[in-house]
């Protein structure tokens, strides 16, 4: 897969149009023509990697409490769609294994965010890596996290896999920090984007991807500055603007 211009990653799938991190959102992103999908991984009580952003179930399901306190069998019985629209009622939470099985034969890049900033799930790095190996998706995947320790653990488990440091903080000399961390990419909030950041990332040989970019003006700025990638809830719109700008 050869990169052409700024890559468009569907943030938790096409999450403005369907419940985030569910198969309807991933299907919409694929059919819209997104270059990749970004999703979030946490572990259940019985240590099954599942796709959900929050550590707590209440925002995006009809459940309560923490992901880590439920088994996978209990989790998959929850309704992860009705919170957005009744037409998505009974949409289940997806396991990482199910998602990778679906995406395996598709020409899409993956960004898997390890949700380890609040809860440092034991061995999550190893479990994610083993599944990526099983489906032959290591070379198409970037592993990202806000937790630099989790990134270091992934690098120890799998030195060959691409890693990215996620941040919303204006850390001094951010590209240099990322370089020292040993990651291949920096994923930053849009408000940190400027020409200097782009130039310094290029100087350090670090890819720069920006989140979460949904509106015309920010999208155009990302394309103008030739960012390596963006994360967007509206991949169909991002694609249309890219056609005009690049």
């Amino acid at each position: 897969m050869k990169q052409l211009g700024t890559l468009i990653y569907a943030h938790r799938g096409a999450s403005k149009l369907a419940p985030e991190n569910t198969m309807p959102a991933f299907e919409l992103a694929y059919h819209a023509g997104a270059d990749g999908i970004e999703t979030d991984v946490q572990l259940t009580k019985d240590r099954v990697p599942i796709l959900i952003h929050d550590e707590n179930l209440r925002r995006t399901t009809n459940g309560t409490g923490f992901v880590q306190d439920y088994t996978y069998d209990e989790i998959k019985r929850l309704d992860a769609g009705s919170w957005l629209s009744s037409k998505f009622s009974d949409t289940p939470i997806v396991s990482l294994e199910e998602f990778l099985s679906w995406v395996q034969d598709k020409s899409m890049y993956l960004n898997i965010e390890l949700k380890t900033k609040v809860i440092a799930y034991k061995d999550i790095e190893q479990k994610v890596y083993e599944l990526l190996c099983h489906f032959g998706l290591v070379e198409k995947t970037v592993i990202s996290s806000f937790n630099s320790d989790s990134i270091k653990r992934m690098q120890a488990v799998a030195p060959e896999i691409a890693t990215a440091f996620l941040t919303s903080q204006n850390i001094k000399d951010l590209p240099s920090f990322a370089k020292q961390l040993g990651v291949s990419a920096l994923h930053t909030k849009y408000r940190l984007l400027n020409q200097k950041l782009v130039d310094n990332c290029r100087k350090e040989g670090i890819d720069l991807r920006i989140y979460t970019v949904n509106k015309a003006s920010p999208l155009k700025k990302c394309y103008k500055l030739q960012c390596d990638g963006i994360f967007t809830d509206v991949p169909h719109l991002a694609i249309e603007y890219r056609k005009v700008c690049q």
Side-chain angles (χ1 to χ4, degrees), residues 175-245:
S176 178
F177 175 82
K179 185 77 170 180
Q180 292 174 18
L181 187 57
V183 297
S184 60
L186 185 59
H187 295 175
T188 68
K189 200 169 182 68
Y190 173 76
R191 64 178 173 79
L192 300 182
L193 176 63
N194 55 47
Q195 186 68 61
K196 181 179 179 181
L197 180 63
V198 173
D199 293 342
N200 286 343
C201 282
R202 288 175 181 156
K203 180 181 176 182
E204 296 288 359
I206 298 287
D207 286 345
L208 178 63
R209 305 185 186 104
I210 305 297
Y211 72 93
T212 305
V213 194
N214 293 333
K215 296 183 179 179
S217 180
L219 284 165
K220 290 176 181 178
K221 181 177 179 179
C222 289
Y223 297 144
K224 180 180 178 181
L225 293 179
Q226 298 182 322
C227 298
D228 296 287
I230 63 163
F231 301 97
T232 180
D233 302 327
V234 285
H236 58 297
L237 294 180
I239 290 166
E240 291 304 311
Y241 283 112
R242 186 175 62 178
K243 289 176 183 176
V244 174
C245 296

Side-chain angles (χ1 to χ4, degrees), residues 8-155:
I8 294 170
Y9 286 82
H11 182 242
R12 310 176 200 169
S15 55
K16 280 287 186 185
L17 305 178
E20 63 182 60
N21 285 328
T22 66
M23 288 312 305
F26 299 143
E27 290 278 5
L28 284 173
Y30 171 66
H31 291 295
D35 302 301
I37 288 176
E38 184 272 351
T39 189
D40 310 286
V41 176
Q42 304 200 44
L43 294 185
T44 62
K45 185 177 182 179
D46 50 347
R47 305 171 64 72
V48 176
I50 63 166
L51 309 187
I52 186 170
H53 179 271
D54 297 3
E55 290 79 13
N56 197 295
L57 294 162
R58 67 175 173 266
R59 181 177 66 86
T60 59
T61 80
N62 62 339
T64 59
F66 290 91
V67 170
Q68 67 175 353
D69 295 329
Y70 290 82
T71 66
Y72 174 57
D73 282 343
E74 291 168 336
I75 288 274
K76 69 182 181 181
R77 290 198 290 268
L78 296 176
D79 177 353
S82 292
W83 66 272
L84 184 69
S85 169
S86 59
K87 72 178 180 179
F88 294 112
S89 63
D90 297 322
T91 298
I93 288 177
V94 185
S95 71
L96 179 60
E97 183 174 9
E98 289 171 328
F99 170 69
L100 295 180
S101 177
W102 170 81
V103 82
Q104 182 181 25
D105 63 351
K106 296 172 175 60
S107 296
M108 300 187 84
Y109 295 98
L110 301 180
N111 184 105
I112 295 177
E113 180 184 345
L114 304 178
K115 300 299 293 186
T116 51
K117 186 68 172 175
V118 176
I119 299 171
Y121 295 103
K122 182 174 169 49
D123 297 329
I124 189 173
E125 297 85 7
Q126 181 72 41
K127 289 181 176 296
V128 168
Y129 176 64
E130 288 174 356
L131 284 169
L132 289 171
C133 289
H134 177 75
F135 290 101
L137 292 169
V138 170
E139 292 184 0
K140 292 165 62 174
T141 302
V142 175
I143 301 293
S144 65
S145 182
F146 285 96
N147 185 341
S148 59
D149 290 335
S150 191
I151 290 172
K152 291 174 184 176
R153 286 192 291 270
M154 178 56 80
Q155 291 167 339

